Amino acid sequence: GDSVTQMEGPVTLSEEAFLTINCTYTATGYPSLFWYVQYPGEGLQLLLKATKADDKGSNKGFEATYRKETTSFHLEKGSVQVSDSAVYFCVQGAQKLVFGQGTRLTINP
Amino acid sequence: NAGVTQTPKFQVLKTGQSMTLQCAQDMNHEYMSWYRQDPGMGLRLIHYSVGAGITDQGEVPNGYNVSRSTTEDFPLRLLSAAPSQTSVYFCASSYSNLGPSSYEQYFGPGTRLTVT
C-alpha cells in the first residue's frame, strides 16, 4: 500500500545551519505531497505542498520539490531559527492522508 | 472563525469505559476525519466523512464509531476503551471539491487520551 518514509530523528542543529529532512514515498499513482509541522502543544499546520511532479512548494523559507523519478519530497531550509523547533511530517494523499513517522527538530541558539 | 475545535483536551479512562470525543468546525467543510498519533508512527486515519450522513472506515477503525448528523460536528465514540487506545487524537477538516484548495486540511489541537 501507499507509504511515506522520512528521516529519523531527532535532529539537533545550531541556529543558521542548513536543514535537510529526507522523505520518500511509495504510491500507486501520483499523489499530492505535503509537509505538515507540529509546534509544541499544538495541532498540525500545513507548511507547504506540491500537487504534481517537479512542483516546488515553499513557505517561511522552507522548500521541497516533488521528484517523481526518485519518489522523494525532501524538506530544506537554508538558515534555521530557534522558532523552527517542531515535529515535521511528510505526508501524501489528498483527503485520506498517509503520514511519515515524523522528525523532531530542535534548533539551539 | 474558531477553525476546528476538539473537546476534551485530556481524558483518563478505565478499561471498558466508553466515551465520546467531540470535534466541530465552523468553516463549512464537507470532509472531516479522525486520526490517532502514536509515538514513532505518525498519524493514522481512523474514520472519515465526506458529508453529513456519510462515513467510512480508515486504516485503524476497530473499537471506534462515528456518525455525521450535521456538517459541523463529527464525534468519535470509543465503545469499550482498551489500553491500546491510549493515544493523541486529532480531528481534521477540509473542502471536498477537486480544486487545489481542497488539499489543505485543518487540524484541531488534539485530545490526549489515557486508558488505564
Side-chain angles (χ1 to χ4, degrees), chain A residues 35-101:
Chain A
W35 279 97
Y36 276 82
V37 58
Q38 184 178 28
Y39 297 104
E42 298 184 14
L44 282 75
Q45 303 173 22
L46 178 65
L47 179 60
L48 53 83
K49 68 182 179 188
T51 57
K52 61 183 187 298
D54 300 324
D55 266 1
K56 176 186 281 190
S58 61
N59 186 24
K60 299 182 181 180
F62 291 89
E63 292 183 339
T65 301
Y66 191 141
R67 301 286 189 199
K68 186 176 69 173
E69 61 277 9
T70 55
T71 62
S72 64
F73 193 54
H74 305 321
L75 182 68
E76 296 183 336
K77 186 174 186 182
S79 177
V80 293
Q81 306 299 313
V82 172
S83 57
D84 294 327
S85 298
V87 180
Y88 292 81
F89 292 94
C90 185
V91 183
Q92 67 159 297
Q95 291 176 324
K96 295 170 67 174
L97 300 179
V98 177
F99 284 76
Q101 73 269 36

Side-chain angles (χ1 to χ4, degrees), chain B residues 63-85:
Chain B
Y64 307 95
N65 269 1
V66 293
S67 59
R68 184 97 179 269
S69 56
T70 67
T71 299
E72 295 78 19
D73 300 298
F74 191 46
L76 178 72
R77 281 182 290 277
L78 279 69
L79 309 171
S80 177
S84 60
Q85 293 179 303

Side-chain angles (χ1 to χ4, degrees), chain A residues 1-34:
Chain A
D2 296 348
S3 66
V4 175
T5 301
Q6 65 181 97
M7 178 176 174
E8 292 205 17
V11 175
T12 302
L13 296 172
S14 298
E15 205 164 24
E16 299 184 3
F18 183 85
L19 169 70
T20 299
I21 301 178
N22 290 337
C23 171
T24 57
Y25 66 91
T26 60
T28 51
Y30 300 104
S32 294
L33 299 174
F34 311 86

Side-chain angles (χ1 to χ4, degrees), chain A residues 32 34 36 38 41-47 49-51 87 89 91 93-102, chain B residues 31 33 35 37 40-45 48 50 57 90 94-97 100-105 107-109:
Chain A
S32 294
F34 311 86
Y36 276 82
Q38 184 178 28
E42 298 184 14
L44 282 75
Q45 303 173 22
L46 178 65
L47 179 60
K49 68 182 179 188
T51 57
V87 180
F89 292 94
V91 183
Q95 291 176 324
K96 295 170 67 174
L97 300 179
V98 177
F99 284 76
Q101 73 269 36
Chain B
Y31 185 86
S33 54
Y35 292 86
Q37 182 180 23
M41 297 186 70
L43 278 71
R44 292 179 292 169
L45 181 64
Y48 65 96
V50 299
Q57 296 181 350
F90 288 98
S94 72
Y95 291 109
S96 194
N97 60 47
S101 64
S102 72
Y103 296 150
E104 177 169 3
Q105 298 211 23
F107 284 81

